[in-house]
C-alpha cells in the first residue's frame, strides 16, 4: 500500500516525466462511450432480477400538517398489488440530517409537500402506479411557511458541521464602507432550482438474509452506504451499493433518497427484489433542490476602483431540521483584495423539501450576485470591468492570510479578452445594433474551491497484460472511467486498451465519489499511488531500481535491460494506493479560476434574449483529458445560461408546492438556446493540490457563467435585472424608449 498524506508540495513525479507521449491530458474519447451509445451501459433501473416487484411512491398533497387517515383498501385489492407501505406498517428507522440518514414513512406528520406517505408495490410498475391513485388520504392541515421572503424574520445562523462558519469578519467593514468615496449597495435574488439530471432516481433492492444489495443511482457510494445502514439499523458491511453508470447527478444524487430506502424496506417485507424509479414530476418534490437566495452586496471603493470594503449577506432556506445553507458568500472571502470584509449567511426555516447541494453549491449563485455587482461598480467608476478585477487582485488569501496554491485569474481575463475581441466592446450600453437586436458583451470571473478527499484504489496486472483498476468511485457522466484509465496506462506503460477500470461498487476500495469537484483529484491520486506501489513491486521482481526503471510498451526497462511485464507477474500482481488530505489544504488557499465572456442580443421590442457567443478560459492545474475537461466546462457554461435566463421553480406560497414540476415548464436550455460555446484551459500545474497536480473542474464551468450573460444583457440594452432569471417580462419595461 502506498499511502500519501498531502502535507507538502509534490516534487517532479512520473506524470511530469511523460513528455509529449503523455497519455494523461490527451483528448481521448470516453472508454465507456461505445457502451453508452449502444445501450450496453446498465443503469440502476435497467438491472434485471428474477421475480422483481415494482414500487410507486405516493406523495403528500399538503405542505404541512398530519395524516388523519389513510384508506388503502381499494389499492390493496387492485390487480397485481402485493404490498402497501404506510407509516402504519413501516419499520422504525434511524434518524439524522439529510446527509446522515433518510427515514421514510416515520409517522403521520407531514413536514413538506411531496413527502412520501405511501409506497405501493405490485407485480408491474404500471399496476403499482394505477393502485397508488386509489389510496385515499385525509389530512389535518397546519399553517406552513413556504416562501423565503416570509421566513426572513425567523432566519438563524446555520451550524453546518462540515461547512465553513456562516459568518466571517476581517477589519472593520462598517467604517471602511461608510468612509469609501464610491459605494454600491445592491440586492440580487436567485430562484429555487432543480438539478434536472437526465436519469431519474432509481433503485433495485435485494436481500440475502440480513445483507442488502442496492443497485441505485448515487454519486457517493461509501457515504450512501453509511446513511442506508444507519437508516435501516444495519451494520455498514451488510449493505452493498452498486452504481456503475449514473445518468447525471449535479448534486441531486449526492445523498440517499426515498427510492433507495422504500425499495429496501419493501424488498425485506416481501422477500423478493423490489425496483422503483421516481417519475420526472416526482423528482422535483421528493428529492433535494437548490434554495433560492436573497443576497445583499455592498462594495466600497476608492476613485481608482480599489476595494476598501466588501460585504455579502445571504439568505437561503431549508427545513427547520436541516442546517445546510447555500454558501453564496464563501467565494467573496477569497476572490478579491480589500482590507474590510464582512460575509454572513442566514438560514430561514421553511416547510418545503430539503435544500441541498446543486452544481457548485455556493459559488454558482454567489457569483451571480458578486460578479454583477463588480460590473455595476466598474460602470459607476467608469473603469473597464476587467481592469477593475485586475486592480483588486490579492497577493495572498485576504482572509486566511496564506498564499494561493496557484492563481491565474488575471491570465484568464487577459487571454479571454484577446480571444473574444473585448476591445470591440462599447462600454456604453445600448449602442451596438444588429438589425432588431441590441448587442452587448459581458465578463465575469470564475472561481471554485479545490477540495481533496480520502480515497483508496487497487490496481492489478494480470498474466494477460491487462491492468484492472478497482475502486468504489462513480462516473456520473463526467469521464471518470476515462481519466482513471489514462492514469493507469501512463503509470504502467500500457496502451489504453490494456487497462480496464471497474467502478461503482462498495465491495471495491473506498473512494470519495463524485461531487464537489473532488472526484477526479481524489480518485485519480489514490490510483496514482496504487500504480506507484505496483511499479515498485514490479521493479523489485525484475531486480531493477524502481527510481530509474522506465515503464513503456508493456515492458519495464533500466539501462540496457528490458523485461516484458507479463513475464514478471505470474498469476497476477496487485497494489493498493491511498490519498489523505493534509496540511497543503490549510497552508494554501486552493481554488480553480477562470473568466467567462458572453455576447448576447436583446430584441429591441420583445426583450427576448439570445446568447450569441460565449468563451470560458480556465486554469485548473493539470488537465487530465482535454476533451472531457472541455465538455465539463461547456456543460457548466450551458448550466450558467440556464441560471441566467431560464431556470426557476415557481413556488405556490399558499400551499408550498412547485407549480412547474416537469421539464415542460421548468426550463433548462435546449439546443436552440445554445450557440457556439468554447472553453479552453491554460497550462498550469498545481503542486500543492495532489500528486496529479490537477484541480477540480466539475463545478468550475458554471461559476460566473450566468453573471457574464447578465452583464452582457446590461451592456446590450442598459437594463440591470437583479432578480434571476432574466426573462423578457422583466426586461420589457426597461428597454430603451427610442428602440
Ligand atoms: Mo456536486 S453539487 O457536489 O454533485
Amino acid at each position: 500500500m502506498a499511502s500519501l498524506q498531502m502535507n507538502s508540495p509534490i516534487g517532479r513525479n512520473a506524470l511530469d516525466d511523460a513528455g509529449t507521449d503523455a497519455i494523461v491530458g490527451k483528448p481521448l474519447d470516453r472508454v465507456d462511450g461505445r457502451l453508452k451509445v449502444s445501450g450496453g451501459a446498465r443503469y440502476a433501473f435497467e438491472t434485471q432480477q428474477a421475480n422483481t416487484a415494482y414500487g410507486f411512491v405516493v406523495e403528500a398533497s399538503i405542505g404541512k400538517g398530519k395524516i388523519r387517515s389513510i384508506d388503502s383498501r381499494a389499492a390493496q385489492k387492485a390487480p397485481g398489488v402485493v404490498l402497501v407501505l404506510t407509516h402504519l406498517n413501516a419499520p422504525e428507522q434511524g434518524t439524522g440530517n439529510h446527509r446522515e440518514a433518510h427515514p421514510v414513512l416515520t409517522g403521520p406528520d407531514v413536514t413538506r409537500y411531496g413527502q412520501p406517505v405511501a409506497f405501493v408495490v405490485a407485480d408491474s410498475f404500471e399496476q403499482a402506479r394505477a393502485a397508488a391513485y386509489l389510496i385515499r388520504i385525509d389530512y389535518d392541515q397546519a399553517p406552513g411557511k413556504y416562501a423565503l421572503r416570509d421566513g426572513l424574520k425567523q432566519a438563524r445562523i446555520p451550524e453546518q458541521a462540515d461547512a465553513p462558519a456562516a459568518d466571517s469578519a476581517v477589519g472593520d467593514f462598517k467604517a471602511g464602507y461608510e468612509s469609501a468615496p464610491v459605494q454600491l449597495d445592491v440586492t440580487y435574488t436567485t430562484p429555487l432550482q432543480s438539478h434536472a439530471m437526465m436519469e431519474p432516481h432509481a433503485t433495485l433492492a435485494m436481500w440475502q438474509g440480513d445483507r442488502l444489495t442496492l443497485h441505485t443511482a448515487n454519486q457517493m457510494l461509501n457515504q450512501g452506504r453509511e446513511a442506508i445502514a444507519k437508516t435501516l439499523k444495519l451494520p455498514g458491511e451488510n449493505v452493498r451499493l452498486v452504481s456503475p453508470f449514473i445518468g447525471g447527478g449535479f448534486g441531486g444524487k449526492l445523498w440517499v433518497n426515498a427510492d433507495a430506502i422504500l425499495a429496501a424496506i419493501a424488498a425485506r417485507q416481501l422477500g423478493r427484489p423490489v425496483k422503483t424509479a421516481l417519475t420526472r414530476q416526482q423528482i422535483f418534490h421528493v428529492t433535494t433542490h437548490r434554495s433560492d437566495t436573497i443576497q445583499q452586496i455592498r462594495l466600497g471603493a476608492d476613485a481608482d476602483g480599489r476595494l476598501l470594503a466588501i460585504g455579502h449577506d445571504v439568505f437561503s432556506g431549508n427545513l427547520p431540521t436541516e442546517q445546510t445553507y447555500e454558501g453564496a458568500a464563501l467565494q467573496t472571502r477569497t476572490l478579491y483584495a480589500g482590507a474590510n470584509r464582512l460575509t454572513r449567511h442566514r438560514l430561514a426555516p421553511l416547510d418545503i423539501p430539503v435544500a441541498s447541494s446543486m452544481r457548485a453549491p455556493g459559488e454558482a449563485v454567489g457569483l451571480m450576485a458578486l460578479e454583477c455587482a463588480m460590473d455595476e461598480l466598474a460602470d459607476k467608476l467608469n473603469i473597464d470591468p476587467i481592469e477593475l478585477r485586475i486592480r483588486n487582485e490579492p497577493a495572498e488569501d485576504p482572509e486566511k492570510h496564506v498564499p494561493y496554491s496557484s492563481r491565474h485569474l488575471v491570465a484568464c481575463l487577459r487571454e479571454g479578452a484577446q480571444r473574444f475581441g473585448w476591445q470591440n466592446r462599447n462600454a456604453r450600453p445600448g449602442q451596438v445594433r444588429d438589425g432588431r437586436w441590441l448587442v452587448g458583451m459581458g465578463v465575469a470571473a470564475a472561481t471554485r474551491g479545490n477540495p481533496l478527499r480520502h480515497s483508496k484504489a487497487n490496481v492489478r496486472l494480470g498474466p494477460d497484460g491487462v491492468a484492472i483498476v478497482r475502486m468504489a468511485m462513480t462516473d456520473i457522466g463526467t469521464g471518470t472511467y476515462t481519466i482513471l484509465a489514462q492514469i493507469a496506462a501512463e503509470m504502467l506503460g500500457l496502451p489504453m486498451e490494456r487497462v480496464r477500470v471497474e467502478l461503482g461498487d462498495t465491495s471495491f476500495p473506498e473512494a470519495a465519489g463524485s461531487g464537489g469537484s473532488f472526484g477526479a483529484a481524489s480518485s485519480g491520486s489514490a490510483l496514482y499511488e496504487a500504480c506507484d506501489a505496483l511499479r515498485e513491486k514490479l521493479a523489485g521482481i525484475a531486480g531493477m531500481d524502481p527510481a530509474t526503471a522506465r515503464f513503456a510498451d508493456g515492458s519495464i526497462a533500466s539501462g540496457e535491460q528490458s523485461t516484458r511485464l507479463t513475464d514478471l507477474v505470474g498469476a497476477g500482481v496487485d497494489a493498493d494506493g491511498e490519498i489523505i488530505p493534509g496540511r497543503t489544504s490549510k497552508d494554501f488557499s486552493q481554488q480553480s479560476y477562470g473568466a467567462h465572456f458572453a455576447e448576447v442580443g436583446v430584441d429591441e421590442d420583445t426583450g427576448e434574449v439570445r446568447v450569441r457567443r460565449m468563451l470560458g478560459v480556465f486554469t485548473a492545474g493539470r488537465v487530465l483529458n482535454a476533451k472531457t475537461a472541455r465538455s465539463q466546462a461547456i456543460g457548466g457554461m450551458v448550466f450558467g445560461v440556464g441560471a441566467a435566463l431560464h431556470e426557476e421553480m415557481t413556488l405556490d406560497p399558499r400551499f408550498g408546492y412547485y407549480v412547474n414540476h416537469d421539464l415542460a415548464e421548468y426550463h433548462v436550455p435546449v439546443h436552440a438556446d445554445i450557440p457556439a460555446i468554447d472553453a479552453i484551459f491554460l497550462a498550469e500545474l498545481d503542486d500543492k493540490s495532489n500528486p496529479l497536480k490537477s484541480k477540480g473542474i466539475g463545478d468550475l464551468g458554471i461559476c460566473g457563467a450566468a453573471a457574464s450573460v447578465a452583464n452582457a444583457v446590461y451592456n446590450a440594452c442598459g437594463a440591470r435585472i437583479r432578480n434571476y432569471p432574466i426573462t423578457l417580462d422583466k426586461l420589457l419595461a426597461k428597454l430603451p424608449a427610442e428602440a
Side-chain angles (χ1 to χ4, degrees):
M1 157 85 77
S3 181
L4 177 74
Q5 184 164 28
M6 272 305 294
N7 284 328
S8 52
I10 302 289
R12 189 170 177 83
N13 71 12
L15 294 182
D16 299 317
D17 291 337
T20 51
D21 291 336
I23 300 171
V24 169
K26 274 214 174 78
L28 300 181
D29 290 345
R30 284 158 195 268
V31 296
D32 52 339
R34 185 175 295 269
L35 269 185
K36 285 190 169 170
V37 296
S38 63
R42 287 276 168 90
Y43 292 80
F45 198 80
E46 297 172 317
T47 315
Q48 301 296 327
Q49 190 66 27
N51 195 32
T52 293
Y54 293 82
F56 190 85
V57 175
V58 179
E59 297 172 79
S61 59
I62 62 165
K64 191 169 171 61
K66 239 182 172 59
I67 296 170
R68 195 184 323 132
S69 66
I70 296 190
D71 183 351
S72 57
R73 284 170 298 181
Q76 257 149 355
K77 278 186 254 156
V81 170
V82 291
L83 176 69
V84 178
L85 268 181
T86 69
H87 68 275
L88 300 170
N89 58 349
E92 204 199 317
Q93 296 151 68
T95 57
N97 67 40
H98 78 280
R99 297 161 173 241
E100 299 162 342
H102 197 108
V104 293
L105 310 173
T106 51
D109 289 344
V110 173
T111 63
R112 69 217 184 252
Y113 189 96
Q115 172 184 324
V117 289
F119 189 58
V120 181
V121 188
D123 290 326
S124 77
F125 188 78
E126 292 70 22
Q127 288 171 327
R129 183 177 196 157
Y133 289 102
L134 301 175
I135 293 185
R136 292 283 158 261
I137 304 178
D138 286 320
Y139 297 97
D140 291 322
Q141 290 199 49
K145 199 153 275 171
Y146 307 118
L148 178 56
R149 62 175 182 273
D150 296 331
L152 300 184
K153 277 210 192 77
Q154 284 80 37
R156 58 179 200 271
I157 300 176
E159 285 169 18
Q160 188 186 337
D162 52 357
D167 289 16
S168 175
V170 170
D172 185 341
F173 171 78
K174 192 170 183 288
Y177 181 73
E178 283 172 0
S179 63
V182 181
Q183 296 169 347
L184 181 81
D185 180 346
V186 286
T187 297
Y188 280 80
T189 67
T190 64
L192 293 155
Q193 294 179 333
S194 186
H195 305 81
M197 77 296 284
M198 220 188 292
E199 179 205 19
H201 299 70
T203 297
L204 167 66
M206 302 181 287
W207 291 83
Q208 276 181 304
D210 60 354
R211 304 183 79 84
L212 170 66
T213 299
L214 293 169
H215 294 261
T216 187
N218 185 288
Q219 295 177 224
M220 300 193 298
L221 299 187
N222 292 100
Q223 187 137 352
R225 170 160 77 174
E226 291 315 305
I228 288 163
K230 181 168 193 189
T231 308
L232 298 176
K233 302 190 167 195
L234 293 167
E237 64 266 23
N238 285 24
V239 179
R240 178 179 171 210
L241 265 61
V242 184
S243 200
F245 296 102
I246 301 164
F250 306 126
K253 294 169 183 165
L254 282 173
W255 322 108
V256 170
N257 280 290
D259 57 304
I261 302 298
L262 288 167
I265 291 172
R268 187 168 225 187
Q269 294 206 5
L270 288 168
R272 67 189 268 202
V274 171
K275 194 190 269 192
T276 189
L278 299 180
T279 64
R280 178 59 65 183
Q281 288 91 343
Q282 288 175 334
I283 290 172
F284 285 81
H285 288 108
V286 175
T287 72
T288 59
H289 64 276
R290 192 200 310 266
S291 174
D292 44 351
T293 67
I294 300 171
Q295 304 182 45
Q296 183 188 18
I297 300 219
R298 287 174 291 173
L299 301 176
D302 68 17
D304 294 329
R306 278 182 192 81
L307 289 167
L308 305 169
I310 306 176
H312 195 165
D313 284 291
V314 180
F315 286 95
S316 62
N318 214 335
L319 270 179
T321 47
E322 298 288 340
Q323 298 288 340
T324 296
Y325 66 93
E326 188 66 37
L330 296 180
Q331 80 285 314
T332 307
R333 296 176 185 172
T334 182
L335 189 53
Y336 296 117
N340 304 296
R341 323 171 65 90
L342 180 64
T343 46
R344 296 178 291 196
H345 298 89
R346 294 294 177 270
L347 189 62
L350 300 177
D351 303 306
I352 61 174
V354 173
S356 190
S357 303
M358 183 167 139
R359 198 171 194 176
E363 295 97 335
V365 290
L367 290 167
M368 288 167 78
L370 178 64
E371 285 302 283
C372 284
M374 286 295 279
D375 202 67
E376 295 201 52
L377 183 63
D379 201 50
K380 210 167 181 169
L381 289 159
N382 203 18
I383 295 176
D384 181 87
I386 293 177
E387 177 59 26
L388 177 68
R389 286 172 174 87
I390 292 171
R391 284 185 196 176
N392 288 290
E393 179 70 6
E396 61 166 20
D397 188 293
E399 303 211 2
K400 293 181 189 157
H401 300 296
V402 296
Y404 292 100
S405 61
S406 64
R407 176 177 163 125
H408 299 290
L409 172 59
V410 172
C412 293
L413 287 163
R414 291 206 164 116
E415 178 74 22
Q418 203 208 334
R419 287 178 183 244
F420 201 69
W422 185 255
Q423 75 278 6
N424 299 326
R425 173 180 178 266
N426 188 324
R428 248 185 86 208
Q431 304 304 304
V432 181
R433 286 175 158 277
D434 176 5
R436 46 187 298 113
W437 298 100
L438 297 163
V439 179
M441 286 191 215
V443 69
T447 185
R448 166 72 189 176
N450 178 52
L452 182 69
R453 288 208 179 176
H454 183 213
S455 272
K456 295 178 184 171
N458 177 271
V459 59
R460 174 181 194 84
L461 186 60
D464 55 357
V466 173
I468 298 178
V469 172
R470 289 202 172 109
M471 54 202 310
M473 181 59 192
T474 52
D475 186 334
I476 62 173
T478 47
T480 315
Y481 279 106
T482 311
I483 58 112
L484 293 179
Q486 286 173 275
I487 291 167
E490 187 87 86
M491 292 293 289
L492 301 176
L494 299 173
M496 282 289 282
E497 57 275 14
R498 297 224 156 248
V499 178
R500 212 163 75 217
V501 178
E502 297 182 0
L503 306 178
D505 192 329
T506 52
S507 46
F508 299 155
E510 175 177 352
S514 303
S517 290
F518 52 69
S522 306
S523 63
S525 296
L527 177 58
Y528 177 94
E529 292 301 314
C531 291
D532 205 41
L534 186 59
R535 282 162 63 125
E536 195 153 324
K537 275 191 188 177
L538 293 168
I541 298 169
M544 295 176 190
D545 177 4
T548 56
R550 302 181 307 278
F551 290 77
D553 306 321
S555 295
I556 179 171
S558 182
E560 300 292 282
Q561 195 194 349
S562 174
T563 312
R564 305 286 312 159
L565 292 175
T566 45
D567 294 336
L568 298 172
V569 297
V573 179
D574 79 322
D576 294 308
E578 178 179 35
I579 187 75
I580 305 167
R583 279 203 312 277
T584 58
S585 55
K586 296 194 178 70
D587 296 347
F588 299 92
S589 178
Q590 293 195 28
Q591 284 80 222
S592 46
Y593 293 95
H596 292 279
F597 293 81
E599 181 183 284
V600 307
V602 179
D603 187 291
E604 62 180 355
D605 292 319
T606 67
E608 177 185 345
V609 179
R610 287 279 159 190
V611 177
R612 293 156 64 99
R613 286 193 297 143
M614 220 172 159
L615 169 69
V617 179
F618 305 101
T619 47
R622 188 193 304 279
V623 170
L624 303 174
N625 178 317
K627 183 183 278 186
T628 55
R630 180 173 180 274
S631 295
Q632 276 274 71
I634 287 176
M637 292 163 76
V638 171
F639 224 129
V641 171
L645 303 177
H646 308 284
E647 288 193 50
E648 173 172 32
M649 279 203 292
T650 304
L651 176 94
D652 186 323
R654 299 166 302 171
F655 307 111
Y657 79 100
Y658 310 130
V659 180
N660 54 339
H661 51 279
D662 61 37
L663 291 183
E665 295 189 89
Y666 182 83
H667 290 166
V668 297
V670 297
H671 276 294
D673 297 311
I674 299 301
I677 287 183
D678 201 7
I680 59 165
F681 286 82
L682 303 184
E684 181 192 54
L685 295 179
D686 187 336
D687 64 354
K688 324 294 192 308
S689 59
N690 62 67
L692 312 175
K693 305 183 183 177
S694 68
K695 287 181 184 174
I697 55 169
D699 295 301
L700 184 59
I702 189 176
C703 298
S708 73
V709 172
N711 292 338
V713 168
Y714 173 75
N715 182 243
C717 68
R720 182 66 75 177
I721 308 299
R722 298 193 186 91
N723 56 327
Y724 290 100
I726 305 171
T727 45
L728 44 77
D729 53 303
K730 296 171 191 170
L731 275 170
L732 263 183
K734 296 189 165 193
L735 291 175
E738 72 273 20

